[in-house]
Amino acid sequence: MSAASAATRIDDALAQSWYEASARQRVDALLDRGSFVEFIGPERRETSPHLPLFDLPEQFDDGMIVGRGRLDGASILIAAQEGRFMGGAFGEVHGAKLTGLLRAARELRTPVVIAFDTGGVRLQEANAGEMAIAEIMRALLEARLAAVNVIGLVGGRAGCYGGGGLIAACCSALAVSEQGRISVSGPEVIETNRGVEEFDSKDRALVWRTMGGKHRRLIGGAEIFVDDTVASFRAAAIALLARAPALTRAMLVAEQARLETRLDAFGDCADALDIWRRLGIADAASVPAMSYGEFDALGARITEVIHDAR
Amino acid sequence: MTLAEILASLFPRGSSVVVEDGLIHGQGRRVDGSPLHVIGVCERSAVGIDEAAKLARHVLEIIAGEDSAPILVLIDSDSQRMSKRDEMLGLNEFLAHLAKCLILADVLGHATIGLLYGHTAAGAFIATALATRTLLALPGAEPVVMDLPSMARVTKLPIETLQAMAKTTPVFAPGLANLAQTGAVAATLDPQRSLAAQVEEILVANAREAGKDERDVLGKRRNGRTKAADIALRVQELARAST
């Protein structure tokens, strides 16, 4: 292959949609070319011991890819969830891979990038999945307490729901695209429990403006808003890895103040549109249709969210 | 046991523990007279953004205080509050913040012990009980990851099928015994004995152990999670070897 055609191939990989890409495509294109080394790859066939009980197909990597690679020359640990397998949900094997990676990160003082794409706990192995979430959170926070930077990227098909939302909020910083929905209870779960009057899960505009990336960026739930390309996520990951504020008591005191301020400022708002208006966006209704560039400029004008309070 | 019975058994000489809007906070004395902080959720209250912020504030106030006394987290909660308002304002950040405060408190020397005495579910479970160093339970506690109607909706399986499977499949079925088997619960206490004495035994045992998370190892020993501990360890070894 000529140098020119190799360069074209890399350009194509970086230009592809993050939302449309598989977890493996995201990892390969995000990292410096050819630098990825996988731990317990699909050839090991470490599959879920629980899915066969439900007559569900297994996947050889259980929907979680973990390993080491280089990002802009720096050695990092990386994890990526495959949202197209079981909705990227956390099961026993899937979760344990990330737990092990984060424990290693603390020991080796190596930064981590996590590409989230998950509906939350895998219900067919709910207890194991719930425990995986708890163990991942503890391992992640212990890594941060040792001044290891853990960056989350959110922009996949499955969004970042349930325990995934909690893990994401434990990260040092987050980059999110418009498609990256972050929340605990998903739309269907709220509707099932509280009725369609509380939340109409079929109202896509409502879902996006309540849980989507633009809203998360505006209220400070994510540090960087990115375009839906691998290149944009890569640039954001490099930028966020350059800063490594350790998790400290002062950081959590600052987060307490940040969250209480949010409650005071917007606690009585009925809809995200009200929040956006209160933030000073006169034409709040125009936000969902804004292009990446338009919204990024608006976000920069409205709020600065590199707050070291997470 | 009711909350009043639990507090009476924990603190026979009384305590300053109060209940406000479904949340618990205050302080009692251990057998040796030293303080024991108490926070928690009662009356099966949902844990939403307001509740998580209040609980986290209590934990940060404990950390800011003079003593390094342990924190007991009492839990009888609903799941996370499922509402448009809570999600719109970033419930994931509030619940994660509460878990962070509990884990930081433990690292800073306030040994955290959870005591599950009623219901709990899903995100509320993760942000409270599962964020403590040692989780205890009383008989009759009923932790669930997700209720069966929600599960039926998400998995698109009939609820009758799920109810039948719940009887035979511990890794997915709700309940204390099933969760304990995965390593979530360190020990179930005896309601006939003094809770003060039993919590004291745990605190003494904890003081000897490093703060290492060994729930996956416990889950393997109890045959509830046969693969998690080994997979995590293997990844750690491979990461070490890859440097």
Side-chain angles (χ1 to χ4, degrees), chain A residues 15-74:
Chain A
Q16 70 184 316
S17 159
W18 183 269
Y19 184 83
E20 298 292 339
S22 69
R24 239 161 243 292
Q25 287 170 325
R26 287 174 193 155
V27 168
D28 285 339
L30 192 74
L31 294 170
D32 298 350
R33 188 171 163 231
S35 71
F36 181 59
V37 179
E38 186 167 359
F39 308 146
I40 314 187
E43 76 286 353
R44 307 297 307 173
R45 303 200 175 187
E46 287 288 2
T47 57
S48 163
H50 312 297
L51 291 178
L53 302 172
F54 287 80
D55 295 323
L56 286 166
E58 303 149 295
Q59 189 157 296
F60 290 154
D61 58 16
D62 205 35
M64 174 69 87
I65 300 166
V66 297
R68 180 188 288 274
R70 293 198 168 272
L71 184 60
D72 202 26

Side-chain angles (χ1 to χ4, degrees), chain A residues 46-47 68 92 107 127 130 135 138 169 184-185 193-194 198 215-216 255-256 258 260 262 267 271, chain B residues 53 57 82 84-85 87-89 93 97 100 122 132 150 170-171 173 225 227-228 240 242-243:
Chain A
E46 287 288 2
T47 57
R68 180 188 288 274
E92 179 171 354
E107 179 192 320
N127 299 336
E130 183 94 344
E135 285 160 352
R138 186 166 308 180
V184 188
S185 311
N193 283 276
R194 297 286 302 278
E198 176 69 25
H215 178 58
R216 292 296 173 230
E255 183 171 58
Q256 180 78 28
R258 177 173 74 83
E260 286 180 354
R262 187 189 295 168
D271 192 277
Chain B
R57 171 167 279 280
M82 296 175 179
K84 177 184 175 183
R85 173 176 178 269
E87 294 301 347
M88 182 175 76
L89 290 169
E93 291 181 83
H97 176 65
K100 285 180 220 180
T132 59
S150 300
V171 77
R225 278 192 297 160
K227 291 186 89 165
R240 209 179 285 140
S242 74
T243 54

Side-chain angles (χ1 to χ4, degrees), chain B residues 70-87:
Chain B
I71 305 172
L72 182 66
V73 184
L74 296 171
I75 302 296
D76 171 25
S77 79
D78 198 350
S79 65
Q80 72 273 14
R81 177 166 290 117
M82 296 175 179
S83 81
K84 177 184 175 183
R85 173 176 178 269
D86 287 82
E87 294 301 347

Side-chain angles (χ1 to χ4, degrees), chain A residues 1-299:
Chain A
M1 185 170 21
S2 71
S5 68
T8 305
R9 212 191 62 186
I10 293 171
D11 287 347
D12 288 348
L14 285 169
Q16 70 184 316
S17 159
W18 183 269
Y19 184 83
E20 298 292 339
S22 69
R24 239 161 243 292
Q25 287 170 325
R26 287 174 193 155
V27 168
D28 285 339
L30 192 74
L31 294 170
D32 298 350
R33 188 171 163 231
S35 71
F36 181 59
V37 179
E38 186 167 359
F39 308 146
I40 314 187
E43 76 286 353
R44 307 297 307 173
R45 303 200 175 187
E46 287 288 2
T47 57
S48 163
H50 312 297
L51 291 178
L53 302 172
F54 287 80
D55 295 323
L56 286 166
E58 303 149 295
Q59 189 157 296
F60 290 154
D61 58 16
D62 205 35
M64 174 69 87
I65 300 166
V66 297
R68 180 188 288 274
R70 293 198 168 272
L71 184 60
D72 202 26
S75 183
I76 64 161
L77 296 170
I78 186 164
Q81 295 180 289
E82 178 50 72
R84 288 181 286 195
F85 173 66
M86 297 299 299
F90 286 88
E92 179 171 354
V93 172
H94 179 111
K97 284 190 186 177
L98 182 51
T99 303
L101 194 79
L102 290 162
R103 288 177 182 167
R106 180 198 190 197
E107 179 192 320
L108 304 169
R109 300 291 192 273
T110 307
V112 185
V113 171
I114 306 173
F116 291 97
D117 198 349
T118 185
V121 165
R122 188 184 294 168
L123 297 175
Q124 292 80 3
E125 41 190 295
N127 299 336
E130 183 94 344
M131 290 309 296
I133 304 274
E135 285 160 352
I136 289 163
M137 284 171 65
R138 186 166 308 180
L140 196 164
L141 295 171
E142 286 177 351
R144 287 192 59 200
L145 285 163
V148 171
N149 209 349
V150 184
I151 303 303
L153 309 178
V154 182
R157 288 164 172 267
C160 187
Y161 283 102
L166 271 75
I167 298 170
C170 287
C171 288
S172 315
L174 290 180
V176 64
S177 66
E178 176 166 19
Q179 289 83 348
R181 293 136 293 148
I182 306 174
S183 115
V184 188
S185 311
E188 289 83 6
V189 171
I190 301 176
E191 187 184 318
T192 299
N193 283 276
R194 297 286 302 278
V196 71
E197 306 77 18
E198 176 69 25
F199 205 91
D200 180 356
S201 64
K202 292 191 185 62
D203 182 344
R204 302 323 286 174
L206 171 69
V207 173
W208 290 105
R209 72 174 182 270
T210 307
M211 303 166 175
K214 284 178 172 169
H215 178 58
R216 292 296 173 230
R217 166 64 183 81
L218 287 174
I219 65 166
E223 276 73 7
I224 296 187
F225 184 73
V226 297
D227 201 3
D228 176 40
T229 62
V230 175
S232 193
F233 273 97
R234 178 178 152 93
I238 292 168
L240 291 174
L241 279 170
R243 343 170 27 264
L247 181 61
T248 59
R249 186 183 137 198
M251 180 81 92
L252 291 187
V253 169
E255 183 171 58
Q256 180 78 28
R258 177 173 74 83
L259 295 176
E260 286 180 354
T261 301
R262 187 189 295 168
L263 281 181
D264 289 343
F266 310 117
D268 61 334
C269 290
D271 192 277
L273 288 169
D274 303 324
I275 296 179
W276 301 348
R277 278 187 207 106
R278 207 170 279 183
L279 278 167
I281 304 171
D283 189 10
S286 70
V287 168
M290 281 181 185
S291 70
Y292 164 70
E294 288 166 347
F295 180 80
D296 192 45
L298 172 78

Side-chain angles (χ1 to χ4, degrees), chain B residues 12 32-34 80 95 97 145 147 151-152 168 187 199 201 205 224 234-235 238 240:
Chain B
D32 65 1
S34 65
Q80 72 273 14
L95 292 179
H97 176 65
V145 175
D147 59 285
M151 216 181 258
T168 53
V199 167
E201 287 162 17
R234 184 79 186 119
V235 168
L238 289 165
R240 209 179 285 140

